[in-house]
Amino acid sequence: MTFVYTCFVCCYCEYISEEKDMYGQSGRREHREVNLVRMSPHDSRTNRQRKGRRRRRKAQRSAILLAFSLFLIVSCMGTLYYVLHLDAQESTSDGKTGISQEDLSGIILDDPEEILPKVTEEPKPTQIPPEEETPLVAIDPGHGGVDGGSGRGSVLEKEVNLEIALRLEDKLQEMGFETIMIREDNETTVSKQDRVVKANEAKADVYISIHQNTYEDSDNEVSGIETYYCNDTEGSKEFAQLVHDSVVAATGARDRNLRESDGLYVVREADMPSCLVECSFLTNKKEREAIASAEYQEKLAAGMAEAIYDFFYQEDK
């Protein structure tokens, strides 16, 4: 860049020097001629032509000077941009700024700039102590049959709920728990009343209902996990808190808090500690893609299983 500036300045100076030499010689000749020769009409026209040429040369010099100034300004700005851009690239490449695609969890939050923590380990299932009585866990995949629940694209809530419930059942049985599934396929329709009756008649020790959430407003970036309980049943808040904290930690999803409600029939009417987990927002594209994947479903099921173990055996863990 410095070489270009130097060449341009040299050419411009040479041009000005030539102009001055020519202009000076012409002026001296004209001065001598005026002293020796009487002016004629022809000479007057010649002088006007020379003045016109001088004005044109002056305009050309002004244009060249303006162009040269603009060239210098643009070149300096370009050089400054290049230096700043290069510094930014170096800062990003040294690992101190910028986040690689591998660091993203694949779930969008309310704030698009916020990034979820990457979860590197799944909760470790633990075996029930052999001397302890085996608890019975009622697992309720929400909706089913003609009631498909919410859905977006190819992801239907009743199907996702059942997938997570079946994975949870496997993990609990591996740990030594007994389980009862409120529904076991996607063709069976079970009313809210029948769900609670089935769990109460089986005398389940805890009840967990699995659902997916939606946000029907214009904002489709809402995401995260919500867990509901009813204070009418003793132990429900403690149970819900353990489940909520564990699934949030297992998935790295946004924590949308524990919520108390007496408007959810299944958690209000259950005789045992119970909770309802809204595992994702199907209206959020990336969270919908995540909840449909086996890997994310495994994390949710593992988090639920560990929380259920902690509820019964936290002191022995």
Side-chain angles (χ1 to χ4, degrees):
M1 184 63 72
T2 304
F3 176 75
V4 174
Y5 292 161
T6 304
C7 292
F8 197 101
V9 171
C10 291
C11 292
Y12 179 76
C13 291
E14 184 177 353
Y15 172 81
I16 295 298
S17 176
E18 292 176 356
E19 285 289 312
K20 286 183 177 180
D21 291 341
M22 181 177 66
Y23 206 85
Q25 292 173 3
S26 176
R28 286 193 297 271
R29 286 196 301 268
E30 290 174 3
H31 181 68
R32 288 194 299 269
E33 290 172 359
V34 169
N35 292 332
L36 298 175
V37 182
R38 180 176 295 180
M39 297 295 292
S40 67
H42 176 74
D43 294 328
S44 179
R45 287 195 301 272
T46 301
N47 286 335
R48 285 197 299 271
Q49 291 173 356
R50 288 173 179 171
K51 289 181 180 179
R53 286 196 295 268
R54 285 198 295 270
R55 284 195 297 269
R56 286 194 295 272
R57 291 193 189 100
K58 185 176 181 180
Q60 289 173 354
R61 286 197 299 273
S62 299
I64 292 173
L65 183 60
L66 177 61
F68 179 69
S69 301
L70 291 175
F71 173 79
L72 286 178
I73 293 172
V74 173
S75 299
C76 291
M77 292 178 63
T79 303
L80 180 61
Y81 172 80
Y82 175 80
V83 172
L84 294 177
H85 184 66
L86 184 61
D87 288 342
Q89 286 182 330
E90 290 175 354
S91 298
T92 303
S93 62
D94 66 9
K96 296 180 180 178
T97 60
I99 299 173
S100 64
Q101 189 65 30
E102 288 75 20
D103 291 331
L104 299 177
S105 67
I107 300 174
I108 295 179
L109 306 182
D110 289 335
D111 181 2
E113 299 298 327
E114 187 177 2
I115 298 171
L116 291 173
K118 184 178 180 180
V119 179
T120 57
E121 294 184 3
E122 291 186 5
K124 302 295 189 301
T126 308
Q127 289 294 321
I128 293 176
E131 68 277 7
E132 297 287 345
E133 184 177 349
T134 303
L136 174 62
V137 180
I139 305 173
D140 182 9
H143 306 283
V146 295
D147 178 14
S150 60
R152 291 294 186 279
S154 60
V155 181
L156 191 59
E157 182 182 1
K158 70 173 184 179
E159 297 175 353
V160 173
N161 294 344
L162 182 60
E163 286 294 326
I164 297 171
L166 292 172
R167 294 177 190 278
L168 175 59
E169 181 186 36
D170 289 342
K171 292 183 183 301
L172 289 174
Q173 290 178 354
E174 289 174 3
M175 296 165 70
F177 286 93
E178 292 182 3
T179 60
I180 176 174
M181 293 287 289
I182 301 303
R183 70 175 175 94
E184 301 183 61
D185 57 59
N186 285 315
E187 288 70 43
T188 303
T189 302
V190 185
S191 68
K192 293 180 290 187
Q193 293 77 9
D194 289 342
R195 293 171 190 270
V196 174
V197 167
K198 188 173 182 178
N200 290 342
E201 288 182 348
K203 298 187 184 304
D205 294 289
V206 292
Y207 178 99
I208 183 168
S209 182
I210 300 171
H211 284 259
Q212 310 304 314
N213 217 334
T214 57
Y215 192 81
E216 301 300 338
D217 207 344
S218 58
D219 184 4
N220 63 358
E221 299 300 316
V222 178
S223 67
I225 296 174
E226 299 173 349
T227 304
Y228 292 84
Y229 71 98
C230 179
N231 261 332
D232 293 347
T233 307
E234 184 179 356
S236 285
K237 183 176 182 179
E238 179 190 357
F239 177 60
Q241 187 71 67
L242 286 169
V243 171
H244 180 78
D245 292 345
S246 187
V247 293
V248 168
T251 59
R254 182 189 177 205
D255 184 349
R256 293 185 61 84
N257 303 322
L258 187 69
R259 300 167 185 255
E260 194 276 331
S261 173
D262 60 359
L264 299 173
Y265 185 90
V266 293
V267 296
R268 185 184 71 237
E269 300 299 326
D271 293 339
M272 67 291 300
S274 59
C275 68
L276 184 150
V277 186
E278 296 280 5
C279 301
S280 71
F281 279 80
L282 298 184
T283 43
N284 182 301
K285 182 177 183 296
K286 289 198 173 181
E287 196 162 64
R288 181 170 68 248
E289 292 172 353
I291 198 67
S293 69
E295 179 183 4
Y296 197 76
Q297 292 172 6
E298 279 289 312
K299 290 179 179 180
L300 283 164
M304 293 175 187
E306 185 174 40
I308 292 169
Y309 178 89
D310 286 348
F311 182 72
F312 291 103
Y313 307 109
Q314 193 168 29
E315 293 181 356
D316 301 328
K317 189 173 179 183

